[in-house]
Amino acid sequence: MPEGDTVRQAAKRLHSALAGTVLTRSDLRVPRFATADLTGRIVLDVTPRGKHLLTRVEGGLTLHSHLRMDGSWRVYANGQRWSGGPAHQIRAILGNADRTAVGYRLPVLELLRTTDEDHVVGHLGPDLLGPDWDPSLALANLLRDPALPLGEALLDQRNLAGIGNVYKSELCFLLGVTPWLPIGELPAERAAQLPGLARKLLEHNRDRPVRSTTGRRDQNLFVYGRAARPCLRCRTAVRRADQGDGSRDRPTYWCPTCQHGPAPAPGS
């Protein structure tokens, strides 16, 4: 699942393959930009911002993409068979003399002026893996609405950018509270630890092929994806529920013994 660490890895792959080269192939397969042609332009850089990707090309243009739940960018050597999914899932193709980047299942793809990037990423809070990281501002943002459940506050990219469902669940486990605890009720010492802990997790995984929050070789994650399996600490069965208003898929995992606070009733 793409979150700040995996988006940064995608940006690194795209930058390595495309930056400084002239595009010899350009195909944006979304109706609004289907006629746009970037061939002949030099790719300047590919920059991650939270869970967003900004591919800047000469002429003052930026291709903005967001991976959401299952989007991906794959890079192939020219002549190599593409393997990211069926052709109808391809939304973008950018190629040069040596490499081709293919965007699969991209729910957000738009071409805009580079000077207008703030229109799509200006609302984001401090980037956990970016040069603008500011733990004090991130904490102030999180605490702005004390009644908001912790899990929802962590997913709100206006507070801090880069956390998705996996890190939300893992952070709440490490803090010992449920994702439904109002963030204003998080003990002060744990609230103070939160930004640094979030940063530590993403930094640890920014270059890892397999995400790990446990430091163990036999199990990479404490609770995420472990519904009905025993908690790694207390052996209680891990639980799963959706969080939020239902407008998005927000799978949430927690241990009812190790984590304190409100939670949905069993079976809900």
Side-chain angles (χ1 to χ4, degrees), residues 152-172:
E152 294 183 36
L154 289 171
L155 289 180
D156 189 336
Q157 303 299 297
R158 296 171 298 180
N159 293 331
L160 70 174
I163 291 177
N165 291 322
V166 177
Y167 283 120
K168 172 192 75 173
S169 295
E170 296 295 293
L171 279 166
C172 290

Side-chain angles (χ1 to χ4, degrees), residues 25-177:
R25 184 173 184 181
S26 166
D27 186 0
L28 305 183
R29 298 182 181 180
V30 293
R32 184 180 174 190
F33 301 105
T35 61
D37 186 5
L38 300 177
T39 57
R41 297 175 186 260
I42 296 174
V43 177
L44 304 178
D45 65 80
V46 182
T47 297
R49 182 73 173 86
K51 295 191 282 185
H52 299 252
L53 284 166
L54 303 171
T55 301
R56 301 178 178 121
V57 299
E58 69 174 344
L61 295 176
T62 295
L63 184 64
H64 166 235
S65 57
H66 195 296
L67 307 182
R68 294 257 173 95
M69 293 292 287
D70 62 349
S72 70
W73 278 97
R74 304 288 185 93
V75 176
Y76 303 98
N78 287 347
Q80 182 181 359
R81 183 177 180 180
W82 300 354
S83 56
H88 73 266
Q89 293 183 346
I90 295 174
R91 296 293 176 266
I93 303 171
L94 299 175
N96 57 33
D98 301 307
R99 296 282 186 272
T100 300
V102 184
Y104 290 90
R105 300 172 299 278
L106 301 175
V108 176
L109 184 72
E110 56 186 333
L111 190 63
L112 62 149
R113 290 286 177 187
T114 301
T115 53
D116 292 335
E117 286 180 358
D118 271 358
H119 294 175
V120 293
V121 296
H123 65 288
L124 298 176
D127 187 338
L128 280 153
L129 294 177
D132 68 320
W133 173 240
D134 183 337
S136 297
L137 177 57
L139 182 58
N141 290 345
L142 287 165
L143 296 175
R144 190 163 39 202
D145 182 356
L148 192 65
L150 174 58
E152 294 183 36
L154 289 171
L155 289 180
D156 189 336
Q157 303 299 297
R158 296 171 298 180
N159 293 331
L160 70 174
I163 291 177
N165 291 322
V166 177
Y167 283 120
K168 172 192 75 173
S169 295
E170 296 295 293
L171 279 166
C172 290
F173 177 83
L174 290 168
L175 291 168
V177 297

